[in-house]
Amino acid sequence: MAQLRPVLLVEDSPNDVELTLAALEKSRLANPVVVARDGVEALDYLLRKSNKYPESSGMAALPVVVLLDIKLPRVDGLEVLERIKGDPRTRHVPVVMLTSSREEQDLVRSYGLGVNAFVVKPVGHRDFFEAIRDIGAFWAVLNEPHPDGAAQEPGADR
């Protein structure tokens, strides 16, 4: 059986990380979850800029989906999105902006950069939980990934 590809959660809020992980666990999502606390960590993971995620760990596979906050330290989510969609190794990885931003310019810029979905984080715990559960189920279970995004590893030359 093929190893399940991870979900990459890029979030700097410890509370939102905890809630997201709990919601994904409760939804019985079998995919492992990798947490990056800022844009630099996310890019390190996706583009193999460090040895933090060795190939042998199983955590080095391209994620089945990236759940990406916009407001991040060091490198913001919009720049991370631009780098993901601009790199031939990662451009087919689905990215869901999961953010508290309701600013129209963030929505427009995200779609302009190629985001696959834009979800405003619900305020209530129950609504947040349900939204995460639905996002995880759709992207990790129901969605058929692009063949190049599923098969190509970031370290491979093309």
Side-chain angles (χ1 to χ4, degrees), residues 36-48:
R37 304 286 179 170
D38 61 44
V40 171
E41 284 186 19
L43 292 170
D44 283 352
Y45 176 82
L46 289 163
L47 303 175
R48 305 302 185 266

Side-chain angles (χ1 to χ4, degrees), residues 71-108:
K71 293 171 178 39
L72 296 168
R74 301 202 295 169
V75 175
D76 75 20
L78 290 169
E79 186 175 338
V80 172
L81 174 63
E82 185 172 25
R83 299 270 307 275
I84 291 170
K85 295 303 182 177
D87 191 306
R89 299 169 294 175
T90 56
R91 71 173 166 235
H92 296 299
V93 174
V95 178
V96 175
M97 279 297 186
L98 184 60
T99 181
S100 57
S101 174
R102 293 187 179 275
E103 295 180 31
E104 186 174 341
Q105 67 186 18
D106 288 339
L107 177 72
V108 169

Side-chain angles (χ1 to χ4, degrees), residues 113-156:
L113 292 171
V115 78
N116 298 90
F118 191 99
V119 177
V120 176
K121 294 175 188 174
V123 176
H125 280 22
R126 168 174 253 155
D127 292 338
F128 184 88
F129 219 76
E130 289 175 4
I132 297 299
R133 183 195 62 215
D134 293 345
I135 290 167
F138 177 79
W139 289 104
V141 178
L142 298 174
N143 184 57
E144 287 292 329
H146 187 284
D148 284 346
Q152 188 176 342
E153 293 301 318

Side-chain angles (χ1 to χ4, degrees), residues 43-58:
L43 292 170
D44 283 352
Y45 176 82
L46 289 163
L47 303 175
R48 305 302 185 266
K49 293 187 173 240
S50 74
N51 293 324
K52 184 176 177 182
Y53 306 101
E55 296 288 334
S56 61
S57 72

